[in-house]
Amino acid sequence: MEKKGLLRKGFRIALTFAVGREKCLCCGKETFDMPLCKSCIKDHMLNYVPPGSCRCSRCGKVLLSESGICTVCRTRPVIKTPDNVFPLYSYRLWRKKLLSEWKLHGRRALSSLFASLFASALKSMNLMPENAFIVPVPPRPGKIRREGWDQMMELASFLRKDYGYPVMPLLKRLSVTQQKEKNRRQRMEGNNTSYKAAEDAVETVKKTGAGERTAVVIDDVITTGVTVEECALHLKELGIGKVQVLSIFIVD
């Protein structure tokens, strides 16, 4: 599968030479093998709002006029179990296209960029390899076989290889239906039924002493919060004392 990915990347590079360079999704400037130019990465991806008082204490959204907790979490809270939730950016404008390029069009050059952003965020949260480990939200059954890769598993692999974070796939996904195919009511009704602990999760937690460290659930986008809430709940049931969530985007 990795060989196929390299072949696709090589073909894409050759194509850019043949028909011209790509354009940055944000500013439209010509770029190369990356849907963002260096300037926009610096100006719009490296300056996310850090954790703190300007974010909702439950879902992590950046607060505008609210104080402490956002309106949604006050009136119809979904995320209750994680100790902290930190989405880097709002899911708006060109960022929607950016996620689509990564997930749907296989723009795997973005994986290392997102991993570097996660590593920076983890450092700002005082979560280092010696006191934290990564738990990627698991893919739908059969996804890797069909598509050749999974975005969050690849991102977790970068965090392990390049930044030293242990990765523990303690969760397993049961549902084969994509979340984007469900409306809000369907997602809410499916709470606590889409995931479960992996078969060897209990033994892994005991052997590694994971219960004494912080589990960091990583996901690409938080929509209703059902996925990260359910994942955090299962991890707590495994005996992990602290569970934090880190996502690239959040729908607000």
Side-chain angles (χ1 to χ4, degrees):
M1 294 300 181
E2 187 65 29
K3 184 177 181 180
K4 289 183 179 179
L6 292 174
L7 289 173
R8 284 195 296 268
K9 181 178 180 181
F11 175 76
R12 190 162 53 240
I13 291 174
L15 190 62
T16 58
F17 277 116
V19 302
R21 294 193 173 192
E22 300 185 58
K23 290 186 177 181
C24 175
L25 293 175
C26 181
C27 70
K29 184 188 300 182
E30 284 191 344
T31 182
F32 178 74
D33 196 42
M34 177 74 77
L36 285 178
C37 67
K38 291 183 179 180
S39 295
C40 288
I41 290 175
K42 179 180 178 181
D43 294 341
H44 302 296
M45 302 299 286
L46 301 181
N47 60 348
Y48 55 80
V49 178
S53 58
C54 59
R55 286 180 175 268
C56 174
S57 60
R58 288 187 178 176
C59 71
K61 291 177 185 175
V62 175
L63 298 174
L64 299 177
S65 59
E66 306 102 326
S67 177
I69 301 177
C70 72
T71 302
V72 173
C73 289
R74 287 178 189 274
T75 57
R76 50 184 190 279
V78 175
I79 301 176
K80 305 172 185 178
T81 303
D83 296 279
N84 183 44
V85 180
F86 185 24
L88 299 185
Y89 316 101
S90 62
Y91 189 54
R92 296 181 181 181
L93 304 174
W94 57 270
R95 290 183 176 129
K96 291 185 177 182
K97 180 64 174 175
L98 185 66
L99 185 63
S100 176
E101 286 293 306
W102 185 46
K103 293 184 66 175
L104 302 182
H105 299 287
R107 303 302 300 276
R108 297 176 73 166
L110 288 167
S111 297
S112 59
L113 171 62
F114 291 146
S116 68
L117 296 170
F118 268 14
S120 175
L122 288 165
K123 185 177 180 180
S124 71
M125 298 161 72
N126 296 315
L127 296 173
M128 307 306 290
E130 57 269 20
N131 65 3
F133 61 94
I134 305 299
V135 181
V137 170
R140 302 185 309 279
K143 178 184 178 182
I144 295 178
R145 183 180 66 253
R146 291 190 303 270
E147 301 180 15
W149 73 304
D150 173 69
Q151 294 74 36
M152 301 319 300
M153 296 298 289
E154 179 160 289
L155 204 159
S157 178
F158 272 103
L159 289 172
R160 176 179 57 81
K161 292 186 294 185
D162 294 348
Y163 303 98
Y165 283 92
V167 176
M168 298 187 193
L170 298 176
L171 301 173
K172 180 178 181 179
R173 185 166 180 171
L174 301 176
S175 172
V176 298
T177 304
Q178 297 186 59
Q179 288 289 80
K180 67 181 181 180
E181 296 175 357
K182 302 178 182 178
N183 58 36
R184 181 180 176 85
R185 180 184 60 80
Q186 290 171 326
R187 293 183 187 189
M188 299 297 290
E189 289 178 350
N191 192 19
N192 205 30
T193 61
S194 297
Y195 301 87
K196 70 173 185 178
E199 285 75 6
D200 58 349
V202 173
E203 183 179 357
T204 299
V205 170
K206 289 181 179 179
K207 284 185 175 181
T208 61
E212 305 302 318
R213 290 181 284 166
T214 299
V216 183
V217 177
I218 60 170
D219 202 2
D220 50 10
V221 57
I222 296 174
T223 305
T224 61
V226 168
T227 292
V228 295
E229 169 63 19
E230 184 176 347
C231 289
L233 184 62
H234 287 304
L235 292 174
K236 292 272 188 174
E237 290 174 347
L238 286 171
I240 297 172
K242 292 184 178 180
V243 177
Q244 302 205 29
V245 175
L246 184 59
S247 71
I248 306 172
F249 302 108
I250 188 168
V251 175
D252 59 357

